[in-house]
Amino acid sequence: RFDFMNTSTLLMKEHPLGVGCGNWRSQSNIMKKEHLMIHPYPHNLFFEIANEFGVQTLVLFILLLLYVFFLSYNKMTKYLKDRSSLYPVLFYLLIFFSLCSMVSGDLGDARILFILISMILIPKPLILCPNEK
């Protein structure tokens, strides 16, 4: 993990605008020939976004995550008393998958995180109406 982090940090410093989607391994192997990476991604969603798509995309992604966390927490507290509310589950799953994306996986493995983000961004409340119970 430390090798992934060190290589990703060096790559981010050398290529702040990114190296292109899927090019992390090839570029990191060019930079550090003595330490060839056999894995195709840095096992951290934030490093992968920063290295492949640039620091500007990482900043936008972090802003999106912060917004979604606050939105999810607010929706959870607003609909907490409703037994049919999905927001507590969505909030805790968002925390879980965000933490999981820090230690393993790539963009494809984070697809559940992106689905959760999409569900939280739905403007219509995800609760049953009183006449539907």
Side-chain angles (χ1 to χ4, degrees):
R1 301 266 179 229
F2 289 116
D3 290 334
F4 291 144
M5 290 180 356
N6 291 336
T7 303
S8 295
T9 305
L10 290 173
L11 194 60
M12 201 170 11
K13 288 178 184 175
E14 191 165 315
H15 300 283
L17 296 177
V19 294
C21 185
N23 291 328
W24 180 82
R25 178 176 52 188
S26 62
Q27 291 300 316
S28 63
N29 286 341
I30 290 170
M31 273 182 44
K32 293 179 77 174
K33 291 181 181 2
E34 75 281 355
H35 218 211
L36 294 178
M37 294 290 177
I38 58 171
H39 296 287
Y41 52 89
H43 287 73
N44 182 307
L45 183 62
F46 294 111
F47 278 134
E48 183 173 3
I49 290 173
N51 289 158
E52 294 186 359
F53 300 104
V55 177
Q56 72 282 359
T57 308
L58 176 64
V59 170
L60 290 174
F61 181 69
I62 290 172
L63 290 174
L64 172 69
L65 266 184
L66 289 173
Y67 173 73
V68 168
F69 268 106
F70 286 120
L71 183 65
S72 179
Y73 181 77
N74 289 337
K75 286 183 175 185
M76 179 182 72
T77 56
K78 181 178 179 181
Y79 298 108
L80 193 58
K81 294 186 181 189
D82 195 322
R83 288 180 46 189
S84 67
S85 176
L86 284 177
Y87 292 115
V89 172
L90 290 176
F91 179 73
Y92 294 117
L93 283 174
L94 180 66
I95 291 172
F96 175 75
F97 283 109
S98 296
L99 292 174
C100 285
S101 69
M102 308 268 187
V103 292
S104 75
D106 61 349
L107 285 173
D109 292 340
R111 62 186 150 234
I112 296 176
L113 175 65
F114 295 124
I115 290 171
L116 287 172
I117 290 172
S118 301
M119 289 179 71
I120 292 167
L121 291 174
I122 295 172
K124 185 176 179 182
L126 299 175
I127 58 172
L128 291 175
C129 294
N131 59 359
E132 294 178 15
K133 288 184 181 177

